Amino acid sequence: MSPRVVRTVAGARRLRREAREAGRRVAFVPTMGALHEGHLALVRRARALGDEVWVSIFVNPTQFGPGEDYDRYPRDLEGDTRLLEREGVATVFAPAEREMYPEPPAVTVGFGGLEDVLCGASRPGHFAGVGLVVLKLFHIVEPDVAVFGQKDAQQAVLIRRLVADLDLPVRIEVAPTVREGDGLAMSSRNRYLGPEERAAAPALYRALQAGRRAVASGETGPAAVEAAMRAVLAAEPRLGVEYAACVDPRSLQPPAGIAGPVLLAVAARLGGARLIDNVLASPDGVHPETLSDLDRAGGFR
Ligand code: PAF
């Protein structure tokens, strides 16, 4: 059955009320569309967690900076809806920009500095925009559970803080990164890559694997782990490396010494694309796949 496509906040609230009255748990996957296997994996995870799956498709202008790819970000609501139909999605919430932002928002969402490191250092305002739109979406959809991808680890860390600090009644589940056969993390922005850039892109994942090996072989200094990742990235001259970081998965700061799981994260420009990727790494060599797995293993101290 085709998902119901709802374009208004009032329409979404009405359908949500109906789901609640029918006692159905809603599992929610927020997206910006241009869906690929990575998104569909989030949808499948959501299906396992709720009675019905809702997906939002909204290219959120407040999370794009000047000169970023807001205008050229791929949009294909029809194609996306067809993919979601095959996944049994109940509702697609696809508001127009004016519906979400009838006037420029005055409220801002801050994260106490967590939003200024890693990707935030080169994308000022990005996570404030993500925080705002996710908070709005949560208020509209009122999901029981929401699924985010490990691929956007910093976003997942911030959303978890948003939910914890504001006591939002939603469980956040972080689902594994889906990769191409050569390790490249799936992303809507991969379609910006030309053939030679596409061939260079798996260096990001190779760098993360080198970082994991360093952690698992007993390296306790985050700088040395970062150097191991940078050495791999440096071998690929097309990459404009933004960061290669070894940080605590909660504070996003480099740990004094690596004694437990750490987040290894890289970002690089490649042609017209900005690519990010990350993995968790554990000194015992049993690497959790996601922040949620780390929770379940009791890894956050
Ligand atoms: O991860 C994304 O696609 C976006 O940042 C999100 C969470 C849908 C907010 O616009």
Side-chain angles (χ1 to χ4, degrees):
M1 207 168 63
S2 215
R4 300 164 299 195
V5 179
V6 51
R7 311 296 299 247
T8 64
V9 172
R13 289 210 160 113
R14 186 171 42 75
L15 291 179
R16 182 61 183 98
R17 214 170 23 250
E18 284 171 19
R20 187 173 301 105
E21 281 164 11
R24 297 177 68 73
R25 284 172 55 80
V26 167
F28 178 45
V29 182
T31 80
M32 297 204 301
L35 303 180
H36 49 69
E37 266 305 311
H39 294 110
L40 301 184
L42 303 183
V43 169
R44 288 170 201 143
R45 185 79 191 99
R47 277 183 69 178
L49 297 173
D51 300 314
E52 55 184 74
V53 177
W54 288 39
V55 173
S56 63
I57 296 181
F58 178 62
V59 184
N60 172 39
T62 65
Q63 70 188 77
F64 289 79
E68 289 190 348
D69 55 346
Y70 175 70
D71 288 332
R72 70 181 173 123
Y73 198 86
R75 291 159 171 89
D76 178 14
L77 181 59
E78 252 180 54
D80 288 345
T81 308
R82 268 197 304 277
L83 288 176
L84 296 175
E85 175 174 0
R86 285 185 222 142
E87 300 298 330
V89 167
T91 303
V92 173
F93 177 48
E97 188 180 327
R98 265 197 325 280
E99 182 70 11
M100 286 298 273
Y101 299 112
E103 55 182 325
V107 170
T108 57
V109 178
F111 294 91
L114 284 171
E115 75 275 46
D116 297 328
V117 298
L118 302 178
C119 289
S122 64
R123 303 190 71 191
H126 169 68
F127 289 113
V130 170
L132 180 64
V133 81
V134 169
L135 197 50
K136 282 170 73 75
L137 289 167
F138 282 179
H139 281 303
I140 296 163
V141 175
E142 297 183 2
D144 295 287
V145 52
V147 184
F148 290 83
Q150 175 68 29
K151 156 103 185 338
D152 297 300
Q154 186 174 11
Q155 170 172 282
V157 169
L158 269 57
I159 299 301
R160 285 154 52 109
R161 280 306 295 261
L162 188 73
V163 166
D165 287 6
L166 300 183
D167 299 306
L168 301 180
V170 54
R171 166 182 160 195
I172 301 299
E173 177 69 14
V174 183
T177 302
V178 180
R179 300 183 180 282
E180 306 283 359
D182 58 9
L184 176 64
M186 289 196 186
S187 162
S188 306
R189 290 184 167 105
N190 290 352
R191 60 185 79 185
Y192 299 153
L193 299 171
E196 290 176 1
E197 292 150 2
R198 174 63 189 80
L204 271 75
Y205 186 53
R206 286 201 302 276
L208 294 170
Q209 287 173 309
R212 260 188 173 171
R213 280 194 299 277
V215 172
S217 67
E219 181 55 66
T220 57
V225 175
E226 290 178 6
M229 294 193 287
R230 278 186 182 278
V232 176
L233 296 171
E236 186 44 76
R238 289 175 189 274
L239 291 176
V241 179
E242 244 177 45
Y243 63 76
C246 170
V247 295
D248 177 273
R250 189 190 281 270
S251 70
L252 302 181
Q253 294 298 321
I258 301 173
V262 284
L263 177 70
L264 308 180
V266 292
R269 299 202 174 265
L270 182 55
R274 179 179 180 278
L275 303 181
I276 60 170
D277 200 356
N278 72 86
V279 296
L280 290 159
S282 188
D284 62 10
V286 185
H287 308 300
E289 250 197 293
T290 70
L291 295 164
S292 290
D293 293 340
L294 187 54
D295 276 344
R296 286 187 275 268
F300 278 126
R301 286 154 300 158

